[in-house]
Amino acid sequence: MKKTELKDFLNAKVIQYNNPKFIESDPIQIPHKFIKKEDIEISGFLTATIAWGNRKSIINNANKLMQLLDNSPYDFVLNHSETDLQKLHPFVHRTFNGDDCIQFIKSLQHIYKKHGGLENVFFNNAEKNTLQNSISEFKRIFFEIEHLPRTQKHVSDPLKNSAAKRINMYLRWMVRNDNTGVDFGIWQNLSPSQLSCPLDVHSGNVARKLGLLKRKQNDGKALAELDKNLRKLDAKDPVKYDFALFGLGVFEGF
């Protein structure tokens, strides 16, 4: 497939999948339950953190977590007591357990009280064409308070060759304004041109079949290769093609 044909094909798939119907079966539906900026970004971050495995299970557990946070995640993060945290102990999603959950709430409180919030942390460390250094620095700040060593595995570090799929997906949600009501675009200090594709098994396999990716592992080096090729198709909004790659893989078995 020639470059122009590939671009036309993928653009058509973006239109097909980047619409409100996508929300119905995707974890992004959780932050869509909220209106306040901080509620959206905190619920989105926690949902993205557990976004691996069965999608129905992800959505069910994310809903349970929001209920444990009294469906007011920002207020809970900012004003929780030690007693409030105890009810999080039974929470579990795969290897993310109640201890991890409590640590995340404490770290989020630290970020809002000491660093000006989630958007501010990512913005302060952004580079012109990438947020991968921002993600690495975010992890450092997230765990600069006393924490359980086991919890660190739930935040990826691109500078250690991770594709950081879940955080890149979260950043797509927050930064990209798609004008269709799927991605939020509430972080206006950052640009879609800085985003990287959430690389997973589905998007990686489709990208390889389309000649957008040669590296076999879904790691940081593969992400850099995919980023480079997606930017050739659309430098201003490269991660719109996440909808095409994911849709082709999950819904069409491409």
Side-chain angles (χ1 to χ4, degrees), residues 92-129:
V92 62
H93 177 81
R94 298 180 72 113
T95 63
F96 187 87
N97 66 20
D99 289 334
D100 298 319
C101 191
I102 290 169
Q103 185 66 59
F104 265 58
I105 298 302
K106 290 179 178 179
S107 289
L108 284 168
Q109 184 188 66
H110 173 69
I111 277 176
Y112 278 90
K113 287 190 171 183
K114 301 297 184 182
H115 291 279
L118 283 164
E119 178 182 7
N120 200 49
V121 172
F122 283 101
F123 173 70
N124 283 343
N125 300 286
E127 297 174 282
K128 183 180 179 182
N129 293 315

Side-chain angles (χ1 to χ4, degrees), residues 6-19 22 176 178 180 182 234 237-245 247-248 252:
L6 177 60
K7 184 173 181 177
D8 289 344
F9 172 69
L10 290 176
N11 283 342
K13 291 298 176 182
V14 171
I15 294 170
Q16 181 179 342
Y17 291 112
N18 189 186
N19 64 69
F22 182 85
R176 186 174 174 270
D178 58 20
T180 67
V182 181
D234 190 335
D237 189 15
V239 299
K240 72 181 183 184
Y241 294 113
D242 180 37
F243 287 96
L245 299 177
L248 284 164
E252 299 185 37

Side-chain angles (χ1 to χ4, degrees), residues 66-91:
M66 292 307 110
Q67 290 168 12
L68 290 170
L69 302 180
D70 303 323
N71 287 308
S72 300
Y74 180 54
D75 181 65
F76 191 98
V77 162
L78 230 56
N79 301 309
H80 65 267
S81 65
E82 284 299 317
T83 305
D84 293 327
L85 292 176
Q86 296 312 305
K87 67 180 180 180
L88 300 179
H89 268 298
F91 182 81

Side-chain angles (χ1 to χ4, degrees), residues 3 6 211-214 223-234 238 241:
K3 182 182 175 181
L6 177 60
L212 293 167
L213 181 59
K214 291 181 180 179
L223 182 66
E225 181 187 345
L226 181 60
D227 271 355
K228 182 179 178 181
N229 287 322
L230 292 181
R231 278 168 167 74
K232 290 176 183 177
L233 299 176
D234 190 335
Y241 294 113

Side-chain angles (χ1 to χ4, degrees), residues 125-171:
N125 300 286
E127 297 174 282
K128 183 180 179 182
N129 293 315
T130 180
L131 296 179
Q132 299 313 290
N133 184 65
S134 283
I135 296 173
S136 181
E137 188 63 12
F138 165 76
K139 180 172 184 174
R140 184 192 68 77
I141 292 170
F142 196 75
F143 291 113
E144 70 183 4
I145 63 170
E146 186 179 353
H147 64 277
L148 296 171
R150 61 155 282 130
T151 306
Q152 289 192 43
K153 68 183 178 184
H154 294 295
V155 180
S156 299
D157 187 349
L159 300 191
K160 293 184 178 179
N161 200 31
S162 169
K165 177 252 179 177
R166 286 169 285 165
I167 296 188
N168 281 313
M169 178 181 71
Y170 171 66
L171 290 171

